[in-house]
Amino acid sequence: MYPPIEPYDHGHLDTGDGHLVYWEVCGNPEGKPALVVHGGPGSGCTPGQRRGFDPERYRIILFDQRNCGRSLPHASDPAADLTANTTHHLVADMERLREHLGVDRWLLYGGSWGSTLMLAYAQAHPARVSELVVTGVTMTRRSEIDWLYRGVGRFFPEQWQRFREGVPEVERDGDLLAAYARLMSDPDPVVRAKAVYDWTAWEDTVISLEVNGKPNAYTDRPPAALQAFVRICSHYFSHAAWLEEGILLRNAHKLAGIPGVLIHGRFDLGSPLENAWQLAQAWPEARLVVVDDSGHTGSATMRKEILATLDDFAS
């Protein structure tokens, strides 16, 4: 990774509908523009995400998606209204930020949930995307959501049972994610705290077999960040991200002419490699890189692949 750097500019973008989206810019003001699209949804951007880019050659732009990180209002406040927080709102925020910063075209880099958002943006605004570098490919299809929050339970039946029992008994045979979303909007902080614990315990279980992963990657966050993460995740996934089923894969032809690299861990249990393989088949300009020692949370080998790819695109 490149050495730590600090932003030379930052601010809050007023979206005009009650949201203030935090953004920051690092590196070379005259460099190649690159936008980091964080995962979650609701994880927020981190200082470490600045370090994948050569600061001499890149103008590195990061932003916190609605209601998380340093964006306002923050989803940890149960009074914060998430109605205007959908995939389509986030795509519009990215385009508004591009215009605000005077960027003509930018490289998009991100993974996990971020890959869904990047694909949605690139298909809506292909002329504004120079390249895509995607890790942990997800397209947030209903089949993918069902796999992550139900299907993986066949490997961890005891832990999945605890996840299922985290919602009221009358809701356990219905939409678990919608039930969690309702718990995260409960005015009782004890109810919300238990829902956060149960949700993130499951998330940590799914990545628990990754030998090169970071233990407790989800639960090892400040309480407010965890609250926002679970509330936004349950909000998005209970609505299938407001995307028509399979639309990002069917519309992959709209990415024609955009070079892409898909970097995916072979042992990604939460987002199976099949996702990346299917996208690579539908997008001729994309190159699929399978990392054999990695799961969803990455590895040293995956970091080397990401750095090499970003260095190549810088030139």
Side-chain angles (χ1 to χ4, degrees), residues 92-275:
D93 291 345
M94 292 166 66
E95 182 63 2
R96 187 178 290 109
L97 179 60
R98 182 193 65 78
E99 293 174 348
H100 176 74
L101 296 177
V103 173
D104 180 43
R105 299 169 74 229
W106 48 12
L107 175 149
L108 302 184
Y109 163 71
S112 192
W113 155 255
S115 61
T116 294
L117 183 53
M118 291 160 56
L119 291 169
Y121 175 88
Q123 291 178 10
H125 305 282
R128 299 305 181 184
V129 179
S130 57
E131 299 92 6
L132 285 162
V133 180
V134 189
T135 65
V137 177
T138 68
M139 291 173 279
T140 316
R141 293 171 289 183
R142 287 166 179 80
S143 57
E144 296 175 53
I145 296 169
D146 184 70
W147 169 256
L148 178 57
Y149 294 104
R150 188 180 304 271
V152 180
R154 68 189 64 181
F155 294 100
F156 306 101
E158 181 182 356
Q159 294 89 339
W160 186 79
Q161 181 68 13
R162 286 199 292 267
F163 176 66
R164 178 174 176 266
E165 291 175 351
V167 306
E169 186 173 358
V170 296
E171 299 187 274
R172 290 173 189 169
D173 292 325
D175 187 339
L176 289 180
L177 306 188
Y180 269 100
R182 285 189 286 272
L183 291 174
M184 289 306 301
S185 297
D186 195 287
D188 187 342
V190 175
V191 172
R192 298 197 305 275
K194 183 179 184 305
V196 167
Y197 174 82
D198 291 336
W199 182 287
T200 53
W202 173 248
E203 297 276 11
D204 276 346
T205 293
V206 174
I207 63 170
S208 62
L209 300 181
E210 299 186 8
V211 294
N212 286 312
K214 175 186 174 184
N216 304 318
Y218 291 95
T219 52
D220 188 19
R221 306 182 192 194
L226 275 180
Q227 289 265 349
F229 170 74
V230 175
R231 190 175 175 208
I232 295 171
C233 276
S234 58
H235 171 64
Y236 266 76
F237 296 149
S238 62
H239 290 92
W242 298 270
L243 293 172
E244 182 183 332
E245 179 66 359
I247 191 67
L248 297 181
L249 186 60
R250 288 200 306 277
N251 282 349
H253 64 274
K254 294 185 177 181
L255 304 174
I258 302 175
V261 179
L262 312 177
I263 306 172
H264 205 102
R266 185 174 297 280
F267 298 104
D268 188 336
L269 192 58
S271 301
L273 176 59
E274 180 184 39
N275 297 336

Side-chain angles (χ1 to χ4, degrees), residues 281-294:
Q281 300 304 301
W283 177 14
E285 287 83 359
R287 176 170 63 92
L288 175 59
V289 178
V290 180
V291 183
D292 285 326
D293 71 348
S294 180

